[in-house]
Every structure is written in C-alpha cells, then in structure tokens.
Amino acid sequence: MADLFLKQAKQYSEGRPSYPHELFDFIASTTHTHDLAWDVGTGNGQAAASLAGIFKNVIATDTSLKQLEFAPKLPNVRYQCTPPVMSMAELERDIAAEASVDLVTIAQALHWFDLPTFYQQLKWVLKVPNGVIAAWCYTVPEVNDNFDSVFLKFYKIDSKPYWDPARKLVDDKYKSIDFPFEPVDGFDHTGPFEFKSERLMSLEEFFTYIRSWSAYQTAREKGVELLRDDVKEELKRAWTEDGIDHKVVKFPVHLRAGKVGNLAKTVGQN
C-alpha cells in the first residue's frame, strides 16, 4: 500500500480534502480524556494536525517516509515512520505503553490494514474500557448533477480495473468492514456516522485529486493514462457548463467509532 502512494506524495498532499471540524468535535466528545491520540496511516498529517488542537500529545505514524515529509510540524505531534508490521515490543518502544492511549484514529486507510493483527495491537495500547477507535473514509466527491454523472462514469468504468479490491469497503461506506468494538457512550451502534467535507476547487485541482488515487498510480505503472486528453476534455465541458471556474466540492465522510470496552482483556489470550 505504501508503494502506491509513495510516487504521488506531493499530489496526495495537494489534492486530498481536509476533514470537517464537526468530525473531530464528535470524536473528541466520545473520549473521556484527551491525553494521547495515535493517528495510524497519517499520510501527510491532515488528521494529526486537527487532533493536535484537542489532545495534549499525538503520535502520527505512516509506512511512507515520503508522505511524512509533507506533514505539518507541530510541537505536540511526534511523527514516526513504521514498518507495515510491528511486533508488540516495537509497538511499546515506538508507539506507546500498554493501556495508555485515549484514541486511535485511522483516516481513509483502515481498508488497507491486516485487521486481526492491527486490532490486537490497538486493543493493547488503548485505555480500558473507554479507549476509542475512530476510523473513517470518504467516498467519491459531489459537485453538481451534470458533472457528477460524467465523473461517476469515469470512476465506475475507466478507473475500476485499477482499484485494489479493498476499495469496495470504501464504496460501501465502511458498513461491511470488520469492526468488533462496543458503541461509544450515548449510542447503540458503531456507525457509520455521516459528515461532509467541503473544498473550493478548480478543475485543475480536481485533476490533482484524481492523480492522488492509488488507482491512478496503478494504471500508470501498467502504461495507462486515466486522464487522457479526451477524458479531460469531457470533464472540462461538464465542469465549465455553468460558467463557474471554482466550485464547492463535497466529500461524504463515513465514520465508524467504538470503544475497546472489555475486549482488550482477551488480547493476551490470543
């Protein structure tokens, strides 16, 4: 997974949407204390930067050192490049001590993980019983009916062969992803909870977003340019039809949130 994003780290940092304040307000409301958060698969640190305004300390990890180079440097955020698989000893040495983390976040990355291994480690570092895991994804952006119809055809037909099978979990809004946690206080389910991220974008910025896709990189490695001239022209016609150069692009965000509860007690028995 890291290799897919390594070559377009700059496009990723420039093209991806930020996450709404309402998302982090909701997540903060689910955690009892705000001492330590761990942002896993932090990429260019978008989520870590928002968490830094809520938590005393944030550990932000990624397997791509190139991605981390684009992350904002903040006094209470420690960035760490980690291997794809960590031993429990490495987890304690490089991340945090047992039962010391209030919140673990995973933004647009949980579908890439080896979930049984990751969940075992997550349950070890989270505080028991109220440590929280918050994992979210965003689905295809929305602009307007005319542009969306053209873009969805491009997404569902042109780019489909180049997406990893794990992308189906994103298209399903994380509804079907394995998420064995208890509901956070005040709820009887773990989501998905719905939010929206909005960004004012030009067409060229929208193309940069497309170039940040893992599918775009996979296609290029197979000798295929997804943004061919004819495709760009078709998207341009749909984009400029209303005469407005910069448009508000909406990214639907889907959050799964749960607390570790007493599940962590079983970790040592596995």
Side-chain angles (χ1 to χ4, degrees):
M1 181 270 286
D3 290 342
L4 289 173
F5 294 108
L6 179 62
K7 295 179 181 177
Q8 76 264 41
K10 187 173 187 294
Q11 287 93 336
Y12 195 99
S13 67
E14 294 176 351
R16 292 301 175 108
S18 58
Y19 303 116
H21 295 300
E22 294 83 2
L23 171 70
F24 293 100
D25 289 344
F26 177 82
I27 293 171
S29 74
T30 67
T31 53
H32 287 218
T33 52
H34 298 153
D35 295 323
L36 180 60
W38 176 22
D39 185 41
V40 190
T42 196
N44 59 10
Q46 286 182 333
S50 294
L51 292 169
I54 301 169
F55 286 79
K56 291 179 182 177
N57 290 288
V58 177
I59 302 162
T61 62
D62 202 276
T63 58
S64 169
L65 186 60
K66 190 71 174 177
Q67 286 273 15
L68 292 175
E69 289 176 3
F70 291 93
K73 306 303 184 284
L74 298 167
N76 62 332
V77 178
R78 174 169 64 86
Y79 293 103
Q80 180 85 29
C81 187
T82 58
V85 178
M86 285 189 292
S87 67
M88 297 303 287
E90 289 172 324
L91 184 72
E92 183 171 22
R93 183 192 69 201
D94 297 334
I95 307 302
E98 182 177 6
S100 64
V101 175
D102 297 295
L103 170 71
V104 173
T105 56
I106 311 98
Q108 195 72 2
L110 187 64
H111 51 285
W112 294 110
F113 291 3
D114 172 5
L115 292 182
T117 300
F118 175 62
Y119 285 158
Q120 182 184 36
Q121 296 183 337
L122 179 150
K123 292 169 187 176
W124 188 83
V125 298
L126 279 172
K127 293 179 179 177
V128 179
N130 294 313
V132 169
I133 170 177
W136 63 91
C137 65
Y138 52 85
T139 45
V140 291
E142 303 164 353
V143 180
N144 57 46
D145 290 344
N146 183 52
F147 183 82
D148 293 352
S149 65
V150 176
F151 175 67
L152 281 175
K153 184 182 71 171
F154 169 74
Y155 174 72
K156 292 181 177 180
I157 298 175
D158 293 42
S159 74
K160 184 178 180 180
Y162 307 104
W163 286 106
D164 187 274
R167 177 70 189 187
K168 293 177 182 177
L169 294 169
V170 175
D171 290 336
D172 193 40
K173 306 172 184 178
Y174 275 4
K175 291 177 183 176
S176 57
I177 201 164
D178 182 33
F179 198 77
F181 300 95
E182 298 178 9
V184 296
D185 294 349
F187 292 90
D188 61 1
H189 62 92
T190 61
F193 302 95
E194 307 296 334
F195 300 87
K196 273 202 191 238
S197 175
E198 296 186 354
R199 180 177 175 182
L200 189 65
M201 301 179 79
S202 67
L203 179 60
E204 192 53 47
E205 287 171 327
F206 196 88
F207 288 156
T208 299
Y209 157 71
I210 292 173
R211 293 186 186 104
S212 76
W213 290 355
S214 61
Y216 181 83
Q217 182 62 39
T218 297
R220 289 200 69 181
E221 290 177 352
K222 294 179 181 295
V224 175
E225 173 55 62
L226 287 177
L227 286 176
R228 304 184 312 270
D229 289 344
D230 61 310
V231 171
K232 291 171 69 175
E233 187 58 34
E234 186 177 14
L235 289 169
K236 181 179 179 180
R237 283 196 299 269
W239 185 276
T240 59
E241 187 179 58
D242 60 6
I244 300 173
D245 292 336
H246 286 74
K247 291 179 169 51
V248 175
V249 180
K250 299 177 181 179
F251 293 81
V253 177
H254 314 279
L255 167 72
R256 297 295 301 272
K259 63 180 182 179
V260 71
N262 292 316
L263 294 169
K265 293 180 179 178
T266 66
V267 171
Q269 301 168 9
N270 291 341

